[in-house]
């Protein structure tokens, strides 16, 4: 049977998504300089997305630990939950649900812990205080792709990332309780569910990866232990929320390739991630699994260079299709099989439709496209109407991508993270433009993208957005990032 992007679909928990279009999580960089609750900029940004008929809207990563931030301006789960601290989160849920066209997007809060990827200076700790991680393995250590990367790249990794402290059992239990607290915050605030971020090299992914977890206890990467951290968190959350509360997981396909680029290594990585997904599905309590990839050592999820697309319109489509086939052959009851959300690379309606028709996914996640075109669902509906008179409309790209970002990425080939980070900066400043526009003109159309904003200007504007109360350590952190970036650009 044909499947349309605007067809509804039921989640295992019983909730219905009104269409297949999901605004994927995008890091906003809009909270206070040391992390905090959502504010008027978040409300402005999400009110724009809420207007246009998305089936589900996932927030950027909400951090569970104020001492493990990513880029500083993260939304953070408060240490205790009471009526006062919940209010900003209630407001965010109301904004996401506040559609004006009769649709009501499902609001999902993404919960995250950065673990070893929480950087120096901007990670919420005193200078050179190490973050917590499954094992004392620093970001970039021993990764085959990074060997021979040069002094500049080594300098960056050593400047930004400490050797982490291995977590004790008490640390693990505390982090698990923090995930439960985050889920309770989402539930009490009116969100429809949560997504646990087990991708892109963050803490939950670190527990499942042999390159970051060399433990020998019950939280090792041995087959019987590798998903224990995640399963204990999910089970604990399910005990304190209603059965209709949505729980999703974002998992990372690229993180399972530990070294080398051979077909044999890739197949081994695919077998491992499939085993993990089978295990997750067998629990019978997960509603959707998002397929993603890349981490700070190999940041495919941040890359936007055309040469890196390798002819694929969705980065992980083939792997996602394999997962779909595998899950529907599993002994898990059909009604309990989690939906598959595929994110990345969709640039036209025909690409979206092809992914559904080819059974690459149940749900279609759009991140950067949703930043370029917050009103993407409306655009697709209009294209569907136009396609009756023109067969080329469905192949028409939603929006032009920022070529300046691509050029900036090519300028910094020796440190892949910086090249990817330039693209992140451009889209971050674009989100800020949308937020400010909505604050000033709530009924206005989304502002046009500023394609004249170059990559370096975007990096500068992203980092200099602070108030006069900024702490000196923040200045030092920003200075370090910009100096490292500038030195790399100078060398190339």
């Amino acid at each position: 049977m044909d499947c349309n992007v605007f067809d509804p679909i039921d989640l295992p928990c019983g909730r219905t998504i009104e269409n297949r279009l999901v605004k994927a999580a995008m890091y906003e960089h809009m909270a206070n300089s040391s992390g905090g609750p959502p504010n008027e900029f978040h409300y402005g940004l999400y009110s724009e997305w809420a207007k246009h008929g998305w089936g589900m809207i996932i927030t950027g990563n909400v951090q569970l630990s104020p001492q493990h931030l990513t880029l500083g301006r993260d939304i953070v789960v408060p240490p205790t939950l009471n009526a006062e601290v919940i209010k900003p989160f209630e407001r965010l849920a109301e904004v996401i649900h506040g559609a004006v066209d009769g649709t009501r997007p499902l609001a999902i809060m993404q919960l995250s812990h950065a673990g070893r990827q929480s950087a120096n200076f901007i990670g919420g700790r005193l200078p050179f205080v190490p973050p917590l991680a499954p094992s004392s393995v620093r970001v970039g250590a021993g990764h085959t792709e990074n060997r021979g990367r040069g002094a500049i790249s080594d300098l960056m990794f050593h400047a930004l990332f400490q050797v982490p402290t291995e977590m004790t059992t008490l640390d693990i239990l505390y982090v698990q309780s923090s995930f439960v607290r985050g889920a309770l915050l989402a539930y009490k605030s009116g969100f429809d569910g949560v997504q646990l971020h087990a991708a892109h090299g963050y803490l939950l992914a670190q527990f499942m990866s042999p390159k970051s977890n060399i433990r020998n206890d019950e939280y090792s990467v041995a087959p019987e232990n590798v998903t224990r951290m995640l399963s204990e968190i999910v089970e604990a959350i399910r005990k304190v929320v209603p059965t209709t509360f949505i729980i999703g997981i974002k998992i990372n396909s690229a993180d399972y390739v530990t070294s080398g680029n051979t077909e044999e290594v890739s197949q081994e990585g695919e077998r491992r991630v499939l085993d993990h997904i089978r295990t997750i599905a067998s629990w019978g309590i997960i509603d959707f699994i998002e397929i993603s990839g890349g981490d700070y050592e190999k940041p495919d999820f941040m890359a936007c260079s055309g040469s890196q697309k390798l002819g694929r319109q969705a980065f992980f489509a083939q792997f996602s299709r394999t997962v779909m086939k595998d899950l529907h052959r599993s002994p898990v009851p059909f009604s309990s099989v989690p939906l598959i959300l595929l994110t990345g690379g969709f640039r036209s309606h025909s690409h979206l439709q092809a992914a559904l028709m080819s059974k690459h996914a149940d749900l279609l996640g759009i991140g950067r496209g949703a930043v370029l075109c917050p009103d993407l669902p409306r655009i697709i509906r209009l294209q569907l109407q136009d396609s009756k008179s023109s067969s080329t409309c469905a192949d028409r790209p939603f929006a032009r991508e920022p070529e300046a970002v691509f050029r900036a990425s090519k300028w910094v080939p020796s440190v892949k993270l910086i090249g990817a980070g330039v693209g992140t900066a451009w889209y971050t400043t674009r989100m800020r433009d949308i937020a400010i526009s909505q604050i000033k003109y709530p009924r206005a159309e989304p502002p046009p993208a500023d394609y004249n904003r170059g990559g370096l200007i975007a990096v500068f504007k992203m980092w200099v957005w602070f108030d006069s109360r900024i702490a000196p350590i923040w200045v030092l952190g920003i200075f370090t990032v910009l100096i490292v970036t500038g030195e790399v650009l100078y060398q190339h």
Side-chain angles (χ1 to χ4, degrees), residues 431-450:
M431 283 188 281
R432 193 180 303 158
D433 291 343
I434 295 171
I436 293 172
S437 173
Q438 280 303 297
I439 292 171
K440 293 181 177 179
Y441 312 107
R443 298 182 181 276
E445 293 291 312
D450 183 3

Side-chain angles (χ1 to χ4, degrees), residues 5-6 9 11 17-26 49 53-59 105-108 110 195 250 288-290 339-344 346 352 356 361-371 373-374 376-377 380:
V5 294
F6 291 105
I9 190 169
L11 292 160
I17 304 178
E18 294 191 9
N19 61 62
R20 309 303 179 90
L21 300 175
V22 177
K23 198 291 293 179
M26 292 287 290
W49 280 318
W54 293 90
M56 186 161 71
I57 294 177
I58 305 175
T59 70
L106 294 177
I108 305 297
Q110 187 185 78
Q195 182 188 55
K250 185 169 189 168
F288 69 92
I289 299 174
E290 180 177 356
L339 302 185
I340 296 300
L341 165 61
L342 177 62
T343 298
F346 296 116
L352 296 168
L356 291 178
D362 301 298
L363 302 170
L364 306 167
I366 303 170
R368 291 183 168 187
V371 177
C373 300
L376 190 55
I380 294 174

Side-chain angles (χ1 to χ4, degrees), residues 113-163:
H113 190 297
R116 69 173 188 163
Q117 290 186 171
S118 179
N120 288 325
F121 309 115
I122 56 176
R125 302 175 306 282
L126 293 174
F128 302 108
V129 173
L132 295 176
S135 302
S136 296
V137 180
R138 183 176 54 81
V139 173
H143 197 256
T144 300
E145 279 199 358
N146 294 330
R147 292 174 186 168
R149 62 194 168 200
I152 298 297
S153 183
D154 281 334
L155 172 64
M156 177 186 169
F157 278 105
H158 281 85
L160 295 184
F161 301 108
Q162 283 283 93
V163 175

Side-chain angles (χ1 to χ4, degrees), residues 170-225:
L170 288 178
D171 292 328
I172 289 173
L173 293 175
Y174 181 76
V175 167
Q176 290 178 344
S177 69
S178 298
F179 272 96
V180 175
R181 186 174 74 252
L184 282 172
L185 170 66
Y187 170 62
K188 293 181 178 181
S189 301
F191 280 82
D192 301 292
V194 294
Q195 182 188 55
L196 308 183
H197 200 332
H200 302 169
Y202 292 130
L203 184 69
L204 295 182
Q206 292 162 29
F207 269 95
M208 295 190 291
S209 172
K211 76 178 182 182
S212 52
N213 183 353
I214 55 174
R215 301 174 72 97
N216 295 310
D217 61 5
E218 64 270 28
Y219 293 100
S220 71
V221 292
E224 66 273 17
N225 296 326

